[in-house]
Amino acid sequence: MSNGPHRIVFANEKGGTGKSTTAVHVAVALAYQGARVAAIDLDSRQRTMHRYLENRAETMRRRSIALPTATFEVFGGDDAGELDALTEKLGQEHDFLVFDTPGRDDPLARHVATRADTLVTPLNDSFVDFDLIGQVDAETFKVRRLSFYAELIWEARKKRAMATIKDARREMDWVVVRNRTGYTEARNQKRIDQALTELSKRVGFRVASGLSERVIYRELFPSGLTLLDKGQLGELGTSHLVARQELRTLVSGLNLPVPAKPAPAALESAA
Ligand SMILES: Nc1ncnc2c1ncn2[C@@H]1O[C@H](COP(=O)(O)OP(=O)(O)O)[C@@H](O)[C@H]1O
Ligand SMILES: [Mg+2]
C-alpha cells in the first residue's frame, strides 16, 4: 500500500467489551484477504490477542496446516519511543498494524489511539459501556456530556488536523462497533441507538455493526481458529454461516484500504 502501513487500534477504557476478540478476527480476516498483518498486544498482562494467535500457530503445527494469520508481538515496555521504534520496524514489512490495548486508562494505549488511522471502539449494548463515550440524561436519555475519553480523541483529531502530532498521516476514522448484540431488550437497544446517533454527530465517530453474542466466539480461543477457517471447523451449522457473514460485514464496515495484491495462498484458502 502506498502510504505505509495502516494502523488499526482497538481501544476503550473498559475491559470485557470485545476489543481482543474483535481485533483477532479483523487481523485474521485481513490476512485472508492477502494482507501482511502484524498484531501488537499492548495488554501485556492479559495478552488475549497474543495468546489467541499463539494458539492459532500451535494448531497449525499440530495439524500440519498453513492458515492465513498475523505475526504477533507483545509490547510490555512503558516507553513510547520504544513502541514507536517497534511500530516503525513492523511497518516496513506489513500492510496493517493491529494494536490491541488494555481496558483502562494507559499512556501507551492513548499514544497509539491518538495515532490510529482507524480507531475501533467496541461497545456492548448497555449504558454502562456507553458511559465511556458520553453521559446521558437519566430522564430523557439525551446526551448530556462527553466522557474524558471522547474529549481525548476529539483533541487528538483536532491536533492531527493541524498536523501537530508527528507521524500521524491520515485523518483518523473513529468507528464505534456494537459487540455482543442480540441479548438486550428491544426498547433498551432503541434508546442506545438514539443516544449513539446523537453522540456520533457531536463527536464525529461512525457506528458500524459488530459481532452478535455467540458462544462460538468464546469457544474458538483455545484452537486459535476463527469462523473464516472453513475446512478446520468441521460441520458448520446455519448459525455459524450467519456468524461468518456478520464477521465479513464488520470488516467491510471498517472501510480499510485494500492491500495491493492478495497472496496466492490466501486467495486459495479464501475461495
Ligand atoms: N460476540 C461475542 N459473543 C460471545 N462472547 C464474546 C463476544 N465477544 C467477546 N466475547 C467474550 O467476552 C469476553 C470479553 O471479550 P474480550 O474480547 O476479551 O474483551 P476486551 O478485550 O475488551 O476485554 C471474553 O470472554 C470473550 O470470549
Ligand atoms: Mg482484551
Side-chain angles (χ1 to χ4, degrees), residues 39-269:
I40 304 139
D41 200 335
L42 299 183
D43 191 350
S44 58
R45 219 171 326 156
Q46 296 193 344
R47 312 177 159 218
T48 312
M49 178 170 75
H50 187 264
R51 292 190 45 230
Y52 202 116
L53 292 167
E54 229 170 31
N55 293 347
R56 185 172 179 80
E58 182 48 38
T59 294
M60 286 194 242
R61 266 195 297 275
R62 207 173 48 245
R63 299 190 185 178
S64 304
I65 47 167
L67 296 170
T69 192
T71 57
F72 47 95
E73 305 246 357
V74 177
F75 183 78
D78 55 11
D79 185 84
E82 263 175 46
L83 178 58
D84 285 344
L86 176 67
T87 304
E88 175 70 32
K89 183 180 121 236
L90 291 170
Q92 286 166 9
E93 294 146 11
H94 297 91
D95 304 307
F96 289 94
L97 303 180
V98 174
F99 293 89
D100 190 18
T101 65
R104 61 186 136 83
D105 181 21
D106 172 87
L108 291 182
R110 275 194 203 189
H111 183 77
V112 292
T114 51
R115 284 161 180 75
D117 298 310
T118 303
L119 176 65
V120 183
T121 299
L123 284 193
N124 293 334
D125 272 346
S126 139
F127 277 111
V128 178
D129 277 19
F130 188 90
D131 202 51
L132 295 170
I133 306 184
Q135 282 173 18
V136 297
D137 184 272
E139 302 291 338
T140 63
F141 288 96
K142 290 248 175 239
V143 176
R144 277 209 333 235
R145 138 176 132 73
L146 302 188
S147 73
F148 177 72
Y149 193 70
E151 297 278 5
L152 173 80
I153 301 299
W154 178 258
E155 279 303 312
R157 298 172 91 186
K158 216 163 59 185
K159 278 193 209 147
R160 268 169 74 149
M162 299 185 298
T164 51
I165 292 191
K166 184 166 109 324
D167 73 58
R169 295 141 303 176
R170 304 170 183 89
E171 238 180 76
M172 184 199 297
D173 187 17
W174 187 9
V175 193
V176 170
V177 167
R178 310 276 290 275
N179 185 39
R180 306 182 76 162
T181 49
Y183 71 108
T184 15
E185 187 220 341
R187 200 172 49 154
N188 182 43
Q189 181 130 8
K190 202 159 154 227
R191 281 188 189 133
I192 293 187
D193 278 341
Q194 281 167 353
L196 261 188
T197 306
E198 192 192 328
L199 196 59
S200 70
K201 290 185 206 132
R202 277 177 59 183
V203 190
F205 59 78
R206 301 189 286 125
V207 183
S209 73
L211 308 176
S212 60
E213 172 75 20
R214 290 176 199 276
V215 176
I216 184 99
Y217 291 122
R218 278 173 265 156
E219 287 182 339
L220 290 174
F221 175 80
S223 64
L225 293 173
T226 69
L227 286 164
L228 299 173
D229 307 311
K230 283 184 211 166
Q232 301 301 322
L233 297 170
E235 214 36 49
L236 281 188
T238 324
S239 77
H240 292 164
L241 299 179
V242 176
R244 191 189 297 151
Q245 193 48 47
E246 101 193 352
L247 183 52
R248 294 206 173 110
T249 306
L250 160 68
V251 175
S252 70
L254 294 182
N255 293 348
L256 299 168
V258 182
K261 55 172 187 309
L267 266 185
E268 208 175 280
S269 24

